[in-house]
């Protein structure tokens, strides 16, 4: 019985962007994403996503979807 090849996921990580976002943990920011604008406080940053606390919810934002970031 042949085993199928495991699925491999490849994602690009920009360590400069990740480090810049990590410096903003605890700050209120505005993200412009490919899906629209989000505002909230950065709770955590991982290599592929940011955890953002909005007024009502925690939102996981993929870093690849962020067009620009601005501290408010």
């Amino acid at each position: 019985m042949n085993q199928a090849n495991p699925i491999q996921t490849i994602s690009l990580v920009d360590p400069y962007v990740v480090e810049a976002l990590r410096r903003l943990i605890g700050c209120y920011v505005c993200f412009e994403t490919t899906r629209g604008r989000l505002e909230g406080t950065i709770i955590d940053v991982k290599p592929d996503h940011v955890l953002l606390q909005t007024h009502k919810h925690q939102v996981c934002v993929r870093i690849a979807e962020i067009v620009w970031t601005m501290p408010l």
Side-chain angles (χ1 to χ4, degrees):
M1 188 170 175
N2 291 339
Q3 289 184 334
N5 291 334
I7 296 173
Q8 295 181 350
T9 303
I10 298 173
S11 62
L12 300 175
V13 175
D14 187 338
Y16 296 104
V17 173
V18 172
E19 184 56 35
L21 290 169
R22 284 192 175 139
R23 284 190 233 120
L24 293 173
I25 290 175
C27 295
Y28 192 79
V29 299
C30 175
F31 287 150
E32 182 69 35
T33 72
T34 57
R35 302 282 304 217
R37 187 172 292 198
L38 288 170
E39 290 185 14
T41 302
I42 296 178
I43 297 172
D44 196 13
V45 178
K46 301 295 183 195
D48 63 337
H49 69 276
V50 177
L51 187 59
L52 191 69
Q53 178 67 53
T54 65
H55 294 291
K56 297 181 181 181
H57 305 286
Q58 287 186 356
V59 180
C60 185
V61 182
R62 291 182 59 217
I63 291 175
E65 298 297 317
I66 298 173
V67 178
W68 53 260
T69 305
M70 179 175 60
L72 298 176

